[in-house]
Amino acid sequence: MNVNKLKGKMVEKGLNVTMLANELGIDRATLYRKLNNKGATLTIREANRIAEILDLTGKEAVEIFFKGSVALNATNPESEVINVAHAVICD
């Protein structure tokens, strides 16, 4: 996950981590841990909800949530990572 890009989009929308956590219905400390890779990662549902809250384009969502994963798997059209990325940005 590209946390710097995510935090930049949060600033653009006038949100901080506490406000985003409230929108997601999770504890602020939990979101901090997820953003800083200190334990659990974001669920697909949470990533999708963040994309909605921040009005991310499909490209922005992939750049933020999938960082290098999609690029590494882009040559395989059956890649599960690509299918998940598509689900997040298109649903």
Side-chain angles (χ1 to χ4, degrees), residues 24-38:
L24 293 171
I26 63 175
D27 187 73
R28 175 186 56 88
T30 300
L31 183 56
Y32 269 115
R33 283 192 302 273
K34 289 181 177 205
L35 294 180
N36 294 305
N37 295 317
K38 306 269 192 228

Side-chain angles (χ1 to χ4, degrees), residues 36-51:
N36 294 305
N37 295 317
K38 306 269 192 228
T41 56
L42 291 172
T43 65
I44 295 294
R45 180 172 286 144
E46 289 167 341
N48 193 36
R49 183 71 182 116
I50 290 170

Side-chain angles (χ1 to χ4, degrees), residues 2-65:
N2 188 331
V3 177
N4 289 332
K5 193 168 281 226
L6 175 60
K7 287 182 177 179
K9 294 309 264 182
M10 289 168 59
V11 169
E12 285 179 20
K13 293 293 182 180
L15 296 173
N16 59 34
V17 173
T18 301
M19 296 163 88
L20 184 59
N22 288 338
E23 288 285 330
L24 293 171
I26 63 175
D27 187 73
R28 175 186 56 88
T30 300
L31 183 56
Y32 269 115
R33 283 192 302 273
K34 289 181 177 205
L35 294 180
N36 294 305
N37 295 317
K38 306 269 192 228
T41 56
L42 291 172
T43 65
I44 295 294
R45 180 172 286 144
E46 289 167 341
N48 193 36
R49 183 71 182 116
I50 290 170
E52 291 173 2
I53 293 166
L54 300 179
D55 294 320
L56 299 178
T57 65
K59 182 179 178 190
E60 290 170 330
V62 169
E63 289 173 352
I64 289 171
F65 298 114

Side-chain angles (χ1 to χ4, degrees), residues 54-86:
L54 300 179
D55 294 320
L56 299 178
T57 65
K59 182 179 178 190
E60 290 170 330
V62 169
E63 289 173 352
I64 289 171
F65 298 114
F66 295 97
K67 207 173 172 183
S69 300
V70 174
L72 292 174
N73 292 295
T75 57
N76 180 0
E78 300 302 317
S79 170
E80 190 171 320
V81 174
I82 292 174
N83 292 335
V84 169
H86 185 267

